[in-house]
Each structure stands twice: as C-alpha cells, then as structure tokens.
Amino acid sequence: MITKEMKVSEVLKNFPETLEVFIETSPHFKKLENKFLRKALASRVTIQQAATIAGVELNELLYKLNKKIHNDYQEINSDKNELSNERKKPEWLEKISEDKIIELDVRPILNSGRDPFLDIMKKVKDLKDDQVLMLINFFEPVPLYTVLGKKGFEHYTIKEENKFKVYFFRKETETQKSLDSHQSIDSIQSEFSKVIELDVRELPPPEPMIKILETLSQVDENTLLLVHHHREPLMLYPKIEERGYEAISNKINDNYYKVLIMKKRN
C-alpha cells in the first residue's frame, strides 16, 4: 500500500506503472518523465509534499496510486493536504529595501532539465546577514522549507497566478548561528557512545562522497560519524537524508568543515 509518508522515488521504483498516474493527475508531475529530474527531485519529496506542490487533494492522489497497483483498493481515509500556513506578510518584508532582496528564478533551470538544488544552496551560502533570498518557482518548494529550516532560515510564501515566490531569511545573525553550531556539535557528540572520524579533505571528487556513503553502514543509533571536509558537502545532504540520516555542518574556516552525520531520531 502506498502511504503519504513514502518518497515519490520509492513509489516509482517499486511501482513504475504509477508514473502514468502522477502525470495524469497534474501537469506539475510532467517533469517526472525526465529521468534526471525524477532521480534528483523525487528522492526528496514525499507523496504528501507532492500533492501540496501540485495542488491536488492528497486523498485523491493516494486513491489513484493505490488503485493503479491494486484494482480492489478502497479509499480508507480522508486526509486533506497539510498546506503551508498562510501568514500575513511580515512587517520586515514590507519595509526591506529592494537591493537587499536576492532573486533566484529556478524555472529556466527546471525547464533545461537540471535540478536547481545546488544553485539554490550556493545562493543561500552567499547571502549576507541582512539579505533575503526570493525564490521563484512553478510550484511550492515544500521540501526546501525543511532543508533550509535546519540551516536557521524561516520562509514566507506568496502564491501568484502561475508561480510561487518564497522569501527565505535568517532567524538570527551568522555569528549567532556559528556560536550555536559550536555548542550544538559539542552537545551532540557527548550523546553518542561511539564516534567514527573520517578525513576526506585530501581526496579528489567524487571520492569524499563515495567514502562517506560507504561508511554510513557503520553508523547506528549509538554512533556518530564526524567528517573532516574541505568544503560543505551540499550534494551529500539529500543522499544521506533518503537513507535515513541527518547532518549538521560547522564551518571552521574557508577550507575546513566539520560535518556530523547521525541516524534520524523520531
């Protein structure tokens, strides 16, 4: 049975015939026909998030998917989409000067068949403390809220006729985040009975990622993987997330990051 918590990639891998259902349900899912985008985007999106992104009823999508794989499937729940909360436009956003808003329109990137994740993360990394990132997309980038939320960002979303504008802003200054990050790392390390250290700073790409992913098999609930890296491994995050892990990255200097990787906790 297909549930709302399952990743789109998991559903398509186990039930490839459901691709037809996604595409028929909403034109937003048309991009799943692109194998590269399907691999890159679907691995980060749950069925519930996909329904929100496409603007379709979650229960309707679940019914169609399950009906495709089981002809005798009966609708057993009436979950509605948990849409992002609509909030009044923040006062700071009303007053902020336009030169402080950094715009990134990812629609051309998506149309070219590329995953815009790295482009987004680079913009986020380059943001100054008093700047705001305005992301423009065809759909609401729900999974990105979680990714950037872990990095200390809040968001405000505006839905227009055929696009979404999402403003991402830091909850606090970069200095405060850095101090909190140090404290969090010390605290987290003390919670584990075993720490595996892995230094990949001298390895050429893609060996650091390969080495880290290979080492994940040794990381259980009582084990912490401490990676010494020469840069923040942005491409690694979605790969470990789909494997059930999470990471905290701490910048020591321009060429040195400490990355803590652990099993996700409920």
Side-chain angles (χ1 to χ4, degrees):
M1 177 177 165
I2 298 172
T3 64
K4 64 182 181 180
E5 295 84 7
M6 294 175 69
K7 295 288 178 66
V8 172
S9 58
E10 180 185 357
V11 173
L12 290 174
K13 179 181 178 181
N14 294 328
F15 311 105
E17 65 271 27
T18 58
L19 176 60
E20 178 183 336
V21 175
F22 281 107
I23 295 172
E24 289 178 351
T25 301
S26 170
H28 281 283
F29 295 131
K30 187 75 174 173
K31 294 186 184 300
L32 291 176
E33 290 181 317
N34 182 305
K35 291 183 179 180
F36 177 80
L37 284 179
R38 183 163 71 236
K39 181 179 179 181
L41 300 178
S43 64
R44 298 198 292 267
V45 181
T46 65
I47 296 297
Q48 182 171 5
Q49 291 171 335
T52 299
I53 288 169
V56 300
E57 287 293 337
L58 172 61
N59 202 48
E60 176 190 356
L61 179 58
L62 283 172
Y63 175 79
K64 289 181 177 179
L65 291 171
N66 281 293
K67 192 72 173 177
K68 185 70 174 180
I69 62 175
H70 298 296
N71 284 329
D72 58 348
Y73 174 78
Q74 298 295 319
E75 191 171 9
I76 59 174
N77 65 62
S78 57
D79 285 351
K80 300 293 183 181
N81 290 352
E82 294 180 13
L83 298 173
S84 300
N85 293 330
E86 293 187 5
R87 297 181 287 139
K88 182 180 178 182
K89 194 171 185 178
E91 185 177 349
W92 62 264
L93 188 54
E94 298 278 8
K95 296 180 178 180
I96 193 170
S97 59
E98 290 189 7
D99 64 312
K100 298 295 184 183
I101 298 177
I102 308 302
E103 180 179 318
L104 176 60
D105 189 342
V106 300
R107 292 174 297 176
I109 300 174
L110 287 167
N111 283 335
S112 72
R114 284 200 302 114
D115 180 0
F117 182 74
L118 287 182
D119 300 81
I120 296 170
M121 298 308 289
K122 185 179 186 306
K123 283 287 186 182
V124 168
K125 184 178 179 180
D126 293 340
L127 275 184
K128 296 179 180 178
D129 292 342
D130 60 346
Q131 291 179 328
V132 172
L133 174 63
M134 181 179 73
L135 185 72
I136 303 175
N137 204 344
F138 294 115
F139 51 82
E140 187 176 10
V142 178
L144 196 60
Y145 299 160
T146 301
V147 173
L148 294 186
K150 291 179 180 178
K151 289 182 169 291
F153 283 83
E154 294 183 355
H155 67 274
Y156 175 74
T157 304
I158 299 174
K159 182 179 180 181
E160 298 186 351
E161 184 176 353
N162 57 358
K163 64 184 177 184
F164 284 83
K165 288 183 178 179
V166 186
Y167 296 86
F168 289 100
F169 56 97
R170 286 188 175 91
K171 298 177 184 178
E172 53 195 7
T173 67
E174 190 66 36
T175 301
Q176 290 171 317
K177 282 175 60 186
S178 178
L179 287 173
D180 288 345
S181 182
H182 277 296
Q183 293 163 357
S184 297
I185 284 180
D186 291 340
S187 174
I188 290 172
Q189 281 188 262
S190 66
E191 296 177 11
F192 292 86
S193 58
K194 181 180 179 182
V195 177
I196 299 174
E197 292 201 41
L198 182 63
D199 193 335
V200 298
R201 285 174 289 182
E202 302 300 323
L203 298 179
E207 290 184 28
M209 180 181 291
I210 294 173
K211 192 70 175 176
I212 293 168
L213 293 178
E214 287 177 346
T215 309
L216 285 183
S217 61
Q218 303 175 43
V219 179
D220 56 23
E221 290 78 5
N222 301 311
T223 305
L224 177 71
L225 175 59
L226 171 57
V227 179
H228 302 275
H229 212 301
H230 67 283
R231 65 180 181 182
E232 185 174 11
L234 299 177
M235 293 186 69
L236 177 70
Y237 297 151
K239 292 185 179 297
I240 66 170
E241 183 178 1
E242 67 185 35
R243 289 168 169 80
Y245 296 86
E246 58 186 348
I248 296 177
S249 180
N250 184 35
K251 182 178 180 180
I252 306 302
N253 57 50
D254 288 342
N255 298 307
Y256 182 25
Y257 284 79
K258 284 185 178 181
V259 184
L260 299 182
I261 300 175
M262 67 213 77
K263 277 275 192 182
K264 285 184 179 179
R265 298 178 177 181
N266 296 327

